[in-house]
Amino acid sequence: MYAILDIESTGGKYNEEGIMEIAIHRFDGHQVVDQFICLINPEREIQPFVSKLTGINNAMLRSAPKFHEVAKRIVEITEGAVIVAHNAQFDYRILRTEFRRLGYNYQRKTLCTVDLSKQLIPDAESHSLGKLARSLGIPMSDRHRANGDALATLKLFKLLLNKDTDKKIITEVIREETHGELSPNQLDMVYNLPSETGVYYLHDREGAIIFLGKTKDIKKRVNQHFTNIGKLGRKLQKETKKVSYEPTGSELIAILKAYLEQKKNNPKFNQVSKKKLFSHIVDFGQNGTEHIVLEVADSRVLKSTSMAFNGTEAAKNFLGKIQTEFELCPCSLDLEAVCTIQEIEGASVLECNEKVITAYERYSIQGKDIALLDRGRITGERSFILIKSGKLQGFGYVELNHQINNIHILESIMTPMASDDNTTFIIESYLRKNNRLKTVPLTSSS
């Protein structure tokens, strides 16, 4: 027995969404034997983009029943059935969250038509419900409404059942309680996590860190570990007994902390590489006395005139970017190229060199005393990463502007971090992709 399900939620922060419409068709493998379709008062505001997408607004839901009034009906129609949904992890999570608010531990097996269609229709251009239905000739009406999407999912599921001639895939894809559903203990762990940027730590029964990672959303990422059906996911689900975390506010601080703490702690399930994180460098050093030349090299030794990249493609893209941004002469990038700048008493050489130096100083931290400012963990707070003489020193948080540009104050309040070529690569590659961080030159004055 199957319960074909679709939910329309209010949107909002992770695990704070509410159900505003639900459609369930109880299907015995041949025909629908029961159905439940209902608008629900979510007792919270609908996000504007959700209203625009679904056509459902707050006024429509004021007289609708609240979730606790329909909960019993949902339990009954899904009893003894496998929940089938397109992106089942999302719908099932939302449904369990609503039941949890009522103090009820709702558990069902689930089957995802996204997973099934990827295995049974691997050549499809897209596995989204709308595009998949269109490519398969499945008629759709009331798109982005619960019943419209549930009926399309039902038709898709019937087609997939027919395609699964040996019936092996459906057996394998059904997620047992330990492979895709959260146990009560795991649900408690995830429920208490914040939807914030930071570093998270998974601990075993002895308290040892068995895995740590960085993320923009701690709650969402840990939930993914506990619902992943891959090999790593199953190991983490089996051995994790506690989750701790440190919010950082700044994504760059989270990346640096995760890299350094993985090296220090060597968690059981992290793949900690002892190699450099980069494979190529671009050398901005002088070539003889005529030009400053940029080279992509296989060398993995960072010099004071070079920048690191992970792969030739990234390095070449950067060269193309700065050539356009700073209007670099081709001779700066190619020893054989002729200088395109008119030479007047050696002015061409100086001008080419100055442009390359400007490009290097714009994106490099080498030799600099600076603070990189980013968002903090709370309103009114700012995070900083301190760099002295081009080397990472540490990170910290400030609330007062006068603290920001004094290097001695920052050194006194920061948490130290070890510096190496990889941390320089992490910082510079992040700066190349993110213009949001503010760079503040530092002084040693009191």
Side-chain angles (χ1 to χ4, degrees), residues 200-260:
Y200 60 93
Y201 309 84
L202 307 186
H203 305 261
D204 64 14
R205 65 175 67 254
E206 305 299 326
I209 298 172
I210 58 174
F211 188 87
L212 71 86
K214 88 290 183 184
T215 178
K216 291 183 180 180
D217 190 325
I218 295 170
K219 182 190 287 285
K220 183 177 181 180
R221 187 71 189 101
V222 174
N223 186 79
Q224 288 170 342
H225 284 309
F226 287 160
T227 55
N228 194 305
I229 60 173
K231 189 178 294 184
L232 174 62
R234 292 177 181 178
K235 290 178 180 177
L236 295 178
Q237 292 154 23
K238 181 179 179 181
E239 297 197 27
T240 301
K241 303 303 176 186
K242 180 183 177 183
V243 180
S244 61
Y245 62 90
E246 287 187 30
T248 61
S250 163
E251 182 186 13
L252 180 53
I253 291 177
I255 295 170
L256 289 166
K257 275 180 63 65
Y259 161 69
L260 292 168

Side-chain angles (χ1 to χ4, degrees), residues 221-377:
R221 187 71 189 101
V222 174
N223 186 79
Q224 288 170 342
H225 284 309
F226 287 160
T227 55
N228 194 305
I229 60 173
K231 189 178 294 184
L232 174 62
R234 292 177 181 178
K235 290 178 180 177
L236 295 178
Q237 292 154 23
K238 181 179 179 181
E239 297 197 27
T240 301
K241 303 303 176 186
K242 180 183 177 183
V243 180
S244 61
Y245 62 90
E246 287 187 30
T248 61
S250 163
E251 182 186 13
L252 180 53
I253 291 177
I255 295 170
L256 289 166
K257 275 180 63 65
Y259 161 69
L260 292 168
E261 291 180 1
Q262 283 177 8
K263 282 183 61 179
K264 184 177 180 180
N265 294 282
N266 196 25
K268 181 177 179 179
F269 294 119
N270 282 108
Q271 293 183 344
V272 181
S273 174
K274 295 181 180 179
K275 299 178 181 179
K276 300 290 187 183
L277 298 178
F278 53 91
S279 59
H280 292 71
I281 66 167
V282 172
D283 190 1
F284 288 72
Q286 289 188 353
N287 179 64
T289 58
E290 294 184 344
H291 297 90
I292 293 177
V293 180
L294 283 66
E295 293 181 331
V296 178
D298 287 323
S299 167
R300 294 195 180 192
V301 179
L302 267 184
K303 299 183 292 186
S304 61
T305 57
S306 60
M307 295 178 68
F309 295 83
N310 188 17
T312 308
E313 190 74 19
K316 288 183 176 179
N317 288 342
F318 176 70
L319 294 181
K321 173 184 175 181
I322 63 171
Q323 184 172 21
T324 301
E325 184 178 351
F326 296 94
E327 298 180 344
L328 299 182
C329 174
C331 71
S332 298
L333 300 168
D334 186 350
L335 287 171
E336 304 299 324
V338 178
C339 183
T340 58
I341 301 174
Q342 291 278 331
E343 182 164 354
I344 303 174
E345 297 179 356
S348 63
V349 174
L350 291 174
E351 190 172 342
C352 288
N353 289 354
E354 286 173 359
K355 285 185 175 182
V356 175
I357 291 170
T358 300
Y360 177 67
E361 290 182 345
R362 166 69 178 81
Y363 290 102
S364 173
I365 64 171
Q366 296 285 358
K368 293 180 179 178
D369 292 338
I370 55 174
L372 300 175
L373 302 184
D374 202 352
R375 61 168 62 98
R377 300 159 298 184

